[in-house]
Amino acid sequence: MGDSPSELRRTLGGAARLWASPEHHAVSSEWWVALSGEKSVTYNVACCQSADADVLTDRCLQPVLDLGRPATIMLAGPGLATAQTLADLGWVTVAALPLMVLAAPSTSDDDAAVRDLSRQDLPAARELLADSYGLDPSSAAAAIPDRALDSDEMGVWGLFDLDRLVACVTTVIEDGRVVVWSMATRTESQKRGYGRRLLDSVLVRQSEAGGAGSLLQSSAAGESLYRSVGYEVVEYWQVWSRPRWVLGRA
């Protein structure tokens, strides 16, 4: 399990196999591409960590353009040096998002309100995710795919208040780390500690199953939650997109 920023970047790209279509998922030491083919820019992503503008153009930009769907290109580490190439093509920066790592989960007790979801639970989880992030149904289905229930290295988890699902998260064990994706809490149930309860419990369970530490890329809104759990920022990535793809995006 690697701890260098370049290895962590590659681990995140590998874990994007959860939601990327297999024919549009590739990971290298200098770049990765994970494209779902759906409408959401959140789930069509390329990452460049090379200072070579040709790597950016050939390995990240061209696959995104060939896809013809809204997407983002993230620049990390040495890849930040290629920003002018995107700017010259009319792309704009839309965010600076942190790559965050957790060395070990808390020792809190397991939470009885948290359980791994069944196939029958997936529609409710997708509806919750779509509501939280403004996703269309097809993108929400790509983010929480059926195949997540068919692999020992993947999981979909939910926290219930009585019989109602109020928070959910998906995970992938990649390179020995628990990679967190698509963390969401119902809009009307936010700021009540549900997200932290869910994540604490899931990380304890995944640690017992062999996951050593955790990795994620946070939204700006979620950074404080992850810091409260114990995650630390490794670095910030620049997120670029075409203006027409992100206008009106929450």
Side-chain angles (χ1 to χ4, degrees):
M1 180 175 65
D3 292 322
S4 71
S6 63
E7 290 170 317
L8 294 175
R9 296 171 201 140
R10 191 168 61 247
T11 294
L12 189 73
R17 61 191 168 90
L18 170 74
W19 46 263
S21 63
E23 64 270 24
H24 292 128
H25 182 229
V27 181
S28 167
S29 61
E30 295 188 320
W31 56 272
W32 56 261
V33 173
L35 309 174
S36 71
E38 301 301 335
K39 296 178 182 178
S40 173
V41 296
T42 304
Y43 298 101
N44 293 313
V45 180
C47 175
C48 178
Q49 60 167 321
S50 169
D52 186 340
D54 288 339
V55 172
L56 169 69
T57 301
D58 297 340
R59 299 300 187 178
C60 297
L61 180 60
Q62 195 58 53
V64 164
L65 296 179
D66 290 344
L67 182 71
R69 289 285 193 171
T72 58
I73 294 179
M74 300 188 292
L75 304 181
L80 293 170
T82 65
Q84 191 60 48
T85 299
L86 292 176
D88 289 344
L89 294 170
W91 288 57
V92 296
T93 53
V94 296
L97 301 182
L99 182 70
M100 305 183 76
V101 66
L102 178 71
S106 71
T107 56
S108 61
D109 293 333
D110 200 1
D111 193 324
V114 173
R115 65 176 173 84
D116 53 332
L117 300 187
S118 68
R119 205 167 299 276
Q120 289 71 34
D121 296 317
L122 293 189
R126 291 165 179 160
E127 181 274 329
L128 190 161
L129 186 67
D131 175 67
S132 297
Y133 290 98
L135 300 177
D136 64 281
S138 184
S139 295
I144 308 178
D146 286 351
R147 66 176 175 271
L149 302 183
D150 300 327
S151 169
D152 292 338
E153 297 176 337
M154 300 181 183
V156 187
W157 311 81
L159 185 147
F160 290 79
D161 185 357
L162 298 178
D163 292 327
R164 185 169 186 257
L165 180 68
V166 294
C168 65
V169 67
T170 56
T171 60
V172 178
I173 296 181
E174 186 78 14
D175 295 336
R177 293 188 186 274
V178 181
V179 181
V180 173
W181 294 111
S182 303
M183 180 85 178
T185 302
R186 289 194 181 276
T187 303
E188 68 273 17
S189 300
Q190 293 175 3
K191 307 299 183 182
R192 300 182 187 178
Y194 288 123
R196 175 162 185 167
R197 282 176 58 191
L198 172 62
L199 194 54
D200 275 341
S201 183
V202 168
L203 291 176
V204 167
R205 297 183 193 190
Q206 293 287 67
S207 176
E208 293 171 352
S214 181
L215 179 70
L216 57 84
Q217 187 178 52
S218 174
S219 66
E223 184 174 347
S224 61
L225 165 65
Y226 297 122
R227 285 184 182 274
S228 74
V229 174
Y231 285 86
E232 298 180 351
V233 174
V234 176
E235 61 186 7
Y236 285 87
W237 295 7
Q238 284 185 0
V239 183
W240 290 73
S241 191
R242 285 179 161 178
R244 64 185 177 86
W245 285 344
V246 295
L247 285 175
R249 182 183 176 208

